[in-house]
Amino acid sequence: MRLRTTTDSDTFVYATSPLNFGGVEKEDLLTWMVPMAIANQFMDDPFYAFAVGCFCLWLYKRLTAGTPPGHMVLRLSVGMGRFEHSDFANQFPAAKKVIRFLNNFLNNLWLEVGLLPSPTYCNRYEP
């Protein structure tokens, strides 16, 4: 989701969708769908794959209880930023370019899906 700003305002805002399903945010659905899809490839019965997905979602929600919505994006962005400025990335310029590309790609992906943007992207205006 993109939010256009005008020249009349100098405030920095971002828009998110308040849509959730029974307390499950859109980013939480990744921890349900990905394990379910992987389990579906290995198991014969789709019910077992559904159960694996539900268990992974339950475990994820249990481990991240009390964290605000969007914490996964923030942790991923901070981790990518630390890795981009690490000694490994400084020794290999090609790795630094790849890491920077992945970080920008993930920021744009989160914005297009409608999740919280990373803090490095919040203060940018759309052209």
Side-chain angles (χ1 to χ4, degrees), residues 66-107:
T67 56
H71 70 92
M72 184 169 59
V73 178
L74 297 176
R75 287 182 183 176
L76 186 62
S77 178
V78 169
M80 291 292 284
R82 286 182 183 161
F83 192 56
E84 186 177 335
H85 297 293
S86 68
D87 293 333
F88 175 79
N90 290 330
Q91 289 176 356
F92 301 105
K96 190 168 192 158
K97 288 182 182 179
V98 169
I99 294 166
R100 183 170 290 155
F101 170 77
L102 285 175
N103 202 5
N104 288 336
F105 175 75
L106 288 173
N107 287 336

Side-chain angles (χ1 to χ4, degrees), residues 5-12 125:
T5 57
T6 64
T7 57
D8 301 334
S9 174
D10 60 348
T11 58
F12 303 108
Y125 288 107

Side-chain angles (χ1 to χ4, degrees), residues 19-112:
L19 179 69
N20 63 26
F21 304 101
V24 178
E25 302 288 333
K26 286 192 283 185
E27 67 179 1
D28 299 337
L29 292 177
L30 289 174
T31 60
W32 174 63
M33 288 187 286
V34 172
M36 187 171 63
I38 292 171
N40 193 30
Q41 295 297 320
F42 296 111
M43 297 181 178
D44 294 331
D45 191 4
F47 177 75
Y48 293 134
F50 179 76
V52 167
C54 288
F55 173 75
C56 290
L57 177 63
W58 172 81
L59 185 64
Y60 174 77
K61 292 297 281 182
R62 181 112 168 141
L63 292 175
T64 60
T67 56
H71 70 92
M72 184 169 59
V73 178
L74 297 176
R75 287 182 183 176
L76 186 62
S77 178
V78 169
M80 291 292 284
R82 286 182 183 161
F83 192 56
E84 186 177 335
H85 297 293
S86 68
D87 293 333
F88 175 79
N90 290 330
Q91 289 176 356
F92 301 105
K96 190 168 192 158
K97 288 182 182 179
V98 169
I99 294 166
R100 183 170 290 155
F101 170 77
L102 285 175
N103 202 5
N104 288 336
F105 175 75
L106 288 173
N107 287 336
N108 290 330
L109 179 70
W110 291 121
L111 286 172
E112 293 299 324

